[in-house]
Each structure stands twice: as C-alpha cells, then as structure tokens.
Amino acid sequence: MHTGPLVGAIDEGTSSARFILFKAGSADVVAAHQKELSTSFPQEGWVEQDPLEILEIVKTCIEATIDKLIALGGSVNDIVAVGVTNQRESTIVWDKTTGEPLYNSIVWRDMRTSTTVDQLLDKVPNKTRNKNYLKPLCGLPMSPYFSAAKVKWLQDNVPKVKKAMVAGNCLFGTVDSWLIWNLTGGKDGGVHVTDVTNASRTMLMNIDTLKWDPVLLNFFELPSSILPKIKSSAEVYGYVKEGSLRSVPIAGCLGDQQSALVGQQCLNRGQAKATYGTGCFLLYNTGKVKVDSSHGLLTTVAYQLGPTQQPMYALEGSVAIAGAAINWLRDNLTILPTFGDAQGLAERAALIESGEVYFVPAFSGLYAPYWQQEARGTIVGITEDTNSSHIIRATLDAVCFQTRDILEAMNKDYGSTLTQLQVDGGMTANSLLMQLQADLTGVTVVKPSMAESTALGAAMVAGFAMKVWDIEGAPLTLPAQKWTPKYSENERDVRYAKWKMAVERSMGWDI
C-alpha cells in the first residue's frame, strides 16, 4: 500500500453521496464508497430531501471508505485534509440550539417558489417586474432556482421557521454549510460557514464584494442572523469532531459545478466544461473578469484559492433536464428498459424521411438561456412512422441542442468561440450522446478517463490549502477520449433551426 498524504472528498450530489480518498497531487483513487439518497415529491413540482438522512449517508460513506483504506493496509493518519462539494442552491434551515432541521431540504429543482418569485417581482420599482432587477448585485436573475426564494418561502409558510428566525435560533445553509456545521461539532461548537461559490448561488451575496449584501437581504426581508460566514474555497474552516476522521481539517469547499470545473483542470480563461447528470451544467472560466451576461447566462464565482487570493469568475448556463429525461422515458413512458439501453435503441432511429422528431423536455420550465418557467415538455414532428426509438433519439438530441443554446449565448457574451468542451457526469458513458454533442455543436468533445472530476476538484482545493497539492504549478494530465464533429455546418444549422422552432412551441403553456 502506497503511503503518503491522502486527501478526502465528500461529494454530496442530488441522487447520491460519496466519499473518495485521493493520493495528494494526483487523480489516483485509493478508496471510495457511494450511497443513494432518497428524494420525496410531496406535491407536483415539490422536491425534498431529509437533511438528517443526507448527513447519515455522508457519515456512512466516510466510515465505509476508511474501512476499505485500512483493509488495503493504509492508515487514517495519512489523511491530511477533507474537501466538500455539494448540490448547490438546495436549502436547509435548522435550530442552532437543538441541531434539528426545521423542515426538509428544498432541493434546487423544486418549483414551489414560483408564487414567491411572482410576489417578489411585484416589489420591483416602477412596476416593471424585471427579473434581472437584482442581477447587477448578485449576478443572477430572479428565479425559483436560487436559495433566497426558498428561504423566503420557508419564512412565509412554515410557522416554526419564522418563529426560530424571530428568536435568533434559525440557521440557514446550503448543503455544504449543513455538513460542515455538523461534522465540526453541530450544536456543540459547529462552524457555520459556506464558500464563495455556494454563496454566489443564493441571490444574497454581492458578486463584487463577496459579502452578504444588505440591499439583497432587505429586498428578501431576511435576517442576517441566519447566514453562514462566507469563506474562500481553500482554507481550514474547522476540524472533524468525531468518527474515524476526528481532528482532520475540513479545508476546501466548492459547489459541485465549480468543483467539476477545477477537477477538469479548466483553470485558464476561455476553458469550459459540461457536466451531464440529472441536469446539464456548463461553466466557462472568465478568469478575474466578471462578465455580465446579456444572453440569459449567470455570472458566478468559479473559485477563490485562499482568503487573500482574487476570485476567479465564470459564466454558467444550466439545463434543468438532461439525464432526468432518460429516467422519464424509463420510468414514466416505460419505453426504455434501463438507462444504459438508451444508446442501442437510439442508434436504431434512422432519421425519418418526412422530417425528424424533436423533444423539448421542459418539465418544469426552461432554464438558461430562456428562463421561461411557463414552458412545458413538447414533442413535435411525429408521423405515423415514428416509434419509440425516435423518441429516445430525440431525447439525446435535446441534451445536445440545449448545450448548444448555452454555448451560443457564451460566444455572444464573451466574444470568443469555444473549440473544445471538457465533459463529465454519468451520461458521458453514452458514446452516441458524446458524438451527437460534437456533431450538433461543431466543437470537439473531450472526456478525461477520470470520471470523478467533481470529487477531484474538492480534493484539489483542500490539498492546496494544506500545501500538499500544487494546483497551478503542477496541473494533472489525464488520459482522455475525444469526439470530433462529423456533420457539415449546414446540416448542423438546419437541425438547430428546427430545434429553435420546437422550443418556441413549448413556451407559455402553464399560464
């Protein structure tokens, strides 16, 4: 068994949590454990998780990974730091005196706050209802997606949350804050912190000062007493209080998409990555320059490597439904036996002579660059020759077209065309999808052999804080698979124009 410093990464995603131990300074995984999370849907558009279950599963993953390490002849004493990466925007409120959650975690893609957002838009001066009213301050449009609207909903609709806020006992945090607070002691001295990347997704942090903004708090009418302290992405926040990792520093924190950007080595201006999971997320590193999007993208913090370092910024485009559409074909339409069958069945779908099928999976509205919460799912171009293979193929196409929508917006905002896209996430196992992505965007698609880029990013920043990982001086070179475009530009543009027509038809349904 290799000895030498190890760095752990807690990767708390939407569908599962994992703990992975890396050799410091490398992408070598020494031991890992993963466990699924359960999600509940109490009403249409509502998506919740149990914060205590999230915490327990993370602890289980940590202990199971340490058991594997010891079985391999390794030692827990080699673990010099732990980093945290997490599903962003998901909102947890808890009582600081008891440590008990005051409500379930409201997951990022929950849509219950649509009415809250409508009421907030009524507060915009001059009755303009401009959803970009707060964007100059926080980089984000007004949307049910971000944490502030979720906290507002909890304050307005859950009496015990309002009561705890008034009493000064309520703490709010995204999943990173909840985990770090509990792992560092919880109600017995737990550290209430978040990092700049997670804070930049709440609508409450000023994108320039990287501090909570009184104007934003005032707009949402939220007390500052609930907020965690904002820290950089790479510094010691506190120490694990109990369990096998007792006394190990928690020294890095990044929202999952930013963590994938770091793990994919996109540390230079003009590099971009796409993560294909439940949704699809593109981040484009804009360096020290904060680019204000005029094409429906978000301005977000990419990372900040230490409290005295300048932050790096990114443009982000998020697609709500990517892998989730394949699950829908499997679970709701039952035309797909398993997730893995999508490729074989889609390959059967030769393009139909009488025009192709297009599927816009706007189940809960459209995210970037449209931001249309009234849009709904639409399948167009169906003829009597259409069969289930065509619908499966149209679903894969939809992921690629939505990615192209975002790349086009990035090109307009940033003024330079991307030539290469780094990819990761569960759906990248589908090589047909990766080829289609190259064909429909005209960009070379590159997938590193290291599948766990999100966890790797968290380990890198934690290792950097503890001086065992030279992120900038010794970048990792990972073997990778590449897909180059095969379509002609004309072929690509004709199909994209049809996609745009399908998107038009999906808008304005749920009025």
Side-chain angles (χ1 to χ4, degrees):
M1 170 75 198
H2 160 91
T3 53
L6 302 176
V7 181
I10 295 168
D11 178 0
E12 201 295 305
T14 311
S15 52
S16 68
R18 53 183 77 73
F19 183 67
I20 302 180
L21 284 170
F22 294 92
K23 287 182 192 172
S26 81
D28 300 344
V29 173
V30 176
H33 191 79
Q34 177 170 351
K35 205 166 175 335
E36 299 277 308
L37 286 163
S38 48
T39 304
S40 57
F41 306 92
Q43 295 184 33
E44 190 196 345
W46 291 32
V47 189
E48 294 181 5
Q49 289 179 336
D50 175 357
L52 294 173
E53 187 201 355
I54 291 173
L55 179 62
E56 278 317 303
I57 284 180
V58 165
K59 287 180 175 176
T60 301
C61 290
I62 290 171
E63 295 304 328
T65 304
I66 302 295
D67 290 345
K68 290 176 187 178
L69 173 71
I70 292 165
L72 289 166
S75 164
V76 74
N77 297 330
D78 290 335
I79 302 170
V80 294
V82 170
V84 176
T85 180
N86 56 289
Q87 48 166 316
R88 304 169 308 167
E89 294 101 17
S90 300
T91 295
I92 303 176
V93 286
W94 66 97
D95 186 309
K96 70 178 179 190
T97 52
T98 65
E100 289 297 310
L102 295 165
Y103 197 80
N104 274 341
S105 170
I106 301 183
V107 178
W108 55 274
R109 60 194 185 94
D110 182 288
M111 292 299 285
R112 78 185 67 188
T113 52
S114 299
T115 49
T116 309
V117 170
D118 274 341
Q119 288 158 9
L120 290 165
L121 286 170
D122 288 337
K123 290 175 64 174
V124 174
N126 306 326
K127 303 225 180 310
T128 58
R129 294 181 60 78
N130 173 14
K131 61 183 164 199
N132 291 324
Y133 172 62
L134 300 174
K135 208 167 179 222
L137 286 176
C138 63
L140 308 173
M142 214 110 53
S143 159
Y145 182 38
F146 306 111
S147 314
K150 300 181 197 303
V151 188
K152 187 71 192 157
W153 185 91
L154 288 162
Q155 184 190 43
D156 290 347
N157 294 281
V158 183
K160 68 176 177 180
V161 172
K162 186 165 192 174
K163 197 172 156 189
M165 282 184 183
V166 171
N169 290 329
C170 177
L171 295 183
F172 146 75
T174 39
V175 175
D176 55 310
S177 300
W178 167 247
L179 290 175
I180 294 169
W181 187 80
N182 278 288
L183 293 172
T184 56
K187 63 181 191 294
D188 303 315
V191 185
H192 190 216
V193 294
T194 187
D195 91 297
V196 285
T197 66
N198 279 296
S200 78
R201 316 294 298 179
T202 58
M203 293 201 80
L204 299 172
M205 184 187 85
N206 184 300
I207 196 82
D208 290 303
T209 66
L210 308 187
K211 291 185 165 51
W212 300 121
D213 192 298
V215 175
L216 294 169
L217 282 167
N218 191 32
F219 183 85
F220 288 99
E221 296 172 16
L222 294 170
S224 60
S225 59
I226 65 173
L227 300 172
K229 203 174 169 102
I230 300 174
K231 300 278 199 175
S232 76
S233 314
E235 61 180 280
V236 176
Y237 312 117
Y239 297 83
V240 180
K241 189 85 176 270
E242 55 186 38
S244 299
L245 290 179
R246 190 185 166 138
S247 302
V248 174
I250 300 177
C253 182
L254 288 164
D256 55 7
Q257 303 310 323
Q258 284 90 338
S259 199
L261 188 78
V262 173
Q264 284 272 23
Q265 319 295 306
C266 294
L267 301 170
N268 297 316
R269 221 171 88 180
Q271 291 180 305
K273 71 89 206 171
T275 298
Y276 299 83
T278 313
C280 177
F281 298 88
L282 272 90
L283 260 76
Y284 189 107
N285 186 333
T286 60
K288 292 171 184 167
V289 183
K290 183 176 68 71
V291 176
D292 297 314
S293 173
S294 47
H295 297 94
L297 301 178
L298 314 176
T299 306
T300 201
V301 179
Y303 51 87
Q304 184 191 16
L305 294 176
T308 60
Q309 299 296 310
Q310 267 191 289
M312 296 295 162
Y313 289 97
L315 278 173
E316 175 171 333
S318 15
V319 171
I321 303 290
I326 305 279
N327 290 345
W328 179 77
L329 298 180
R330 183 193 65 196
D331 302 337
N332 295 40
L333 290 197
T334 62
I335 60 174
L336 192 63
T338 70
F339 198 95
D341 293 318
Q343 177 159 340
L345 288 166
E347 279 168 348
R348 287 189 209 162
L351 295 180
I352 311 164
E353 285 173 21
S354 58
E356 311 96 48
V357 176
Y358 290 81
F359 173 25
V360 183
F363 298 152
S364 53
L366 287 166
Y367 284 9
Y370 306 104
W371 297 104
Q372 293 278 339
Q373 60 194 54
E374 292 81 24
R376 286 296 173 266
T378 309
I379 301 176
V380 294
I382 294 173
T383 69
E384 59 192 5
D385 296 324
T386 302
N387 61 38
S388 58
S389 298
H390 297 114
I391 306 231
I392 295 164
R393 168 63 187 262
T395 308
L396 296 182
D397 285 346
V399 175
C400 303
F401 284 129
Q402 290 182 102
T403 305
R404 175 160 175 181
D405 283 338
I406 289 170
L407 288 176
E408 300 259 321
M410 285 179 174
N411 289 343
K412 287 174 187 156
D413 279 330
Y414 196 64
S416 69
T417 308
L418 199 68
T419 53
Q420 183 170 302
L421 181 66
Q422 302 284 126
V423 298
D424 58 67
M427 286 187 87
T428 59
N430 185 319
S431 58
L432 172 64
L433 176 71
M434 295 297 98
Q435 184 59 56
L436 286 171
Q437 188 65 85
D439 292 342
L440 294 171
T441 55
V443 169
T444 300
V445 171
V446 180
K447 176 191 176 183
S449 57
M450 163 66 202
E452 300 287 357
S453 359
T454 304
L456 179 60
M460 285 166 68
V461 291
F464 182 81
M466 298 307 290
K467 301 191 168 43
V468 295
W469 206 310
D470 185 359
I471 293 181
E472 294 162 317
L476 303 176
T477 45
L478 305 173
Q481 207 175 344
K482 288 190 178 189
W483 291 267
T484 52
K486 291 180 179 167
Y487 282 15
S488 71
E489 200 168 337
N490 183 50
E491 207 175 348
R492 196 159 44 240
D493 291 347
V494 165
R495 296 209 57 211
Y496 186 57
K498 283 228 173 130
W499 161 258
K500 294 296 250 187
M501 287 164 62
V503 169
E504 284 291 315
R505 285 165 171 76
S506 77
M507 289 182 184
W509 272 99
D510 189 33
I511 295 172

